[in-house]
Amino acid sequence: MRNKLILLLLILVSFFLQCTLMKGIAIGSVSPNLLVILCVSMGLMLGKANGLFIGFFTGLLVDLFYGYYPGTHAAIYMYLGFGSGFFYKVCYDDDIKVPILLAVIGDFVYNFLTYVFLFLLQGNTDFFFYLRRVILPEIIYTLVLTALIYRLYYKVIHRFMRIKYKESDSLWLAK
């Protein structure tokens, strides 16, 4: 129960920071995606199942407050958390390269799927304009923020949660 409350608190704090502080520090209407960082980090630290649930509830919050099509953000964040869970227990604590790489890939996937669902299906076909003006600046911004925020998430998870490690959560270590 304690672990679920801590995860719920992390989701809510990250969501409110994304909606307020991150919009305040936006450069050219592009802000870093703290929710992608959260889903990727939790998938890396807690495994596929927890990454999936954290991604789903994070995306559900986005869909409830900002979503145009119900369930799109929930599905995208859910798959990001699940996909990063494949690297569970393979990523070392002192190595920041894997979380940064997964956050960059996750942010690209999130923005590409957002483009497909929100713009391409409505007839806007200028992908390279969207890539140059939104996707690449947000990826760079998210990359920098991941280097700072991942350690904070790691300390919160390992300080306040009781974690039970299972080898079955990792695809790489499954027998």
Side-chain angles (χ1 to χ4, degrees):
M1 184 66 174
R2 177 182 174 185
N3 291 352
K4 291 178 184 173
L5 288 174
I6 291 170
L7 291 176
L8 179 65
L9 185 66
L10 273 175
I11 291 171
L12 290 175
V13 166
S14 297
F15 177 73
F16 290 129
L17 285 175
Q18 179 71 35
C19 296
T20 57
L21 182 66
M22 295 303 142
K23 299 296 182 195
I25 63 171
I27 298 174
S29 75
V30 174
S31 62
N33 199 332
L34 188 62
L35 301 176
V36 166
I37 298 170
L38 174 73
C39 294
V40 166
S41 299
M42 295 303 116
L44 276 173
M45 287 186 253
L46 301 174
K48 294 182 290 190
N50 286 318
L52 182 130
F53 287 117
I54 290 168
F56 175 75
F57 288 116
T58 301
L60 191 62
L61 274 175
V62 174
D63 280 333
L64 288 175
F65 285 94
Y66 299 109
Y68 296 106
Y69 301 113
T72 55
H73 290 95
I76 293 170
Y77 283 122
M78 181 177 68
Y79 287 123
L80 288 179
F82 181 75
S84 64
F86 281 106
F87 296 94
Y88 173 65
K89 289 177 65 175
V90 174
C91 177
Y92 296 106
D93 304 337
D94 57 348
D95 190 19
I96 194 79
K97 292 183 291 249
V98 173
I100 288 176
L101 180 66
L102 287 177
V104 166
I105 291 169
D107 197 37
F108 178 78
V109 168
Y110 170 78
N111 281 307
F112 178 76
L113 292 175
T114 301
Y115 168 77
V116 168
F117 288 128
L118 298 181
F119 296 108
L120 187 63
L121 293 178
Q122 295 178 358
N124 297 333
T125 58
D126 194 5
F127 174 71
F128 292 107
F129 176 79
Y130 189 75
L131 177 74
R132 189 177 62 246
R133 296 290 176 134
V134 177
I135 295 177
L136 291 178
E138 186 175 313
I139 285 175
I140 292 168
Y141 217 173
T142 302
L143 182 142
V144 171
L145 193 65
T146 303
L148 302 172
I149 297 294
Y150 178 76
R151 294 277 184 207
L152 178 67
Y153 284 149
Y154 178 80
K155 288 180 182 179
V156 167
I157 292 298
H158 288 286
R159 170 82 168 99
F160 296 111
M161 287 183 64
R162 297 182 189 108
I163 300 174
K164 299 174 195 138
Y165 293 106
K166 294 184 237 173
E167 287 189 16
S168 62
D169 285 338
S170 176
L171 175 72
W172 307 104
L173 299 176
K175 294 179 182 175

